[in-house]
Amino acid sequence: HISKPDLIEKCLAAYKTERTHAVMIGDSCGDIQAGKAAGVATVAIATGPTSLDVLGQTEPDYCWLGWPTSPLEYSQLLYKHV
């Protein structure tokens, strides 16, 4: 079993991507914690059973109430990070 931070590390290596150009998007506290442990930016999206209030306790870099619905919303999210 591979841990989520290790999986993120493998993805970074496989795609030859710097941490500063990677984002972990997740709908669980474990997702956000994994992104933080791997040293990448984190985005909490309240699309699953975990509320945004609970996700916010993990101190993600960004929070979204649901999936972005337009290309503009996606670009705003990504350009804030870069």
Side-chain angles (χ1 to χ4, degrees):
H1 174 67
I2 188 167
S3 71
K4 283 185 182 180
D6 289 341
L7 184 58
I8 293 168
E9 295 286 343
K10 282 185 166 237
C11 289
L12 291 171
Y15 290 99
K16 297 180 176 94
T17 302
E18 299 287 330
R19 289 177 207 296
T20 56
H21 294 134
V23 178
M24 175 63 171
I25 300 173
D27 64 357
S28 73
C29 294
D31 293 338
I32 303 307
Q33 292 164 344
K36 289 182 160 296
V40 300
T42 55
V43 180
I45 298 186
T47 57
T50 308
S51 72
L52 197 56
D53 289 338
V54 171
L55 289 170
Q57 293 173 12
T58 62
E59 299 181 358
D61 296 300
Y62 305 98
C63 293
W64 286 75
L65 290 173
W67 289 109
T69 57
S70 72
L72 178 61
E73 285 183 335
Y74 276 107
S75 67
Q76 288 172 338
L77 171 64
L78 295 175
Y79 288 117
K80 283 182 185 177
H81 171 63
V82 177

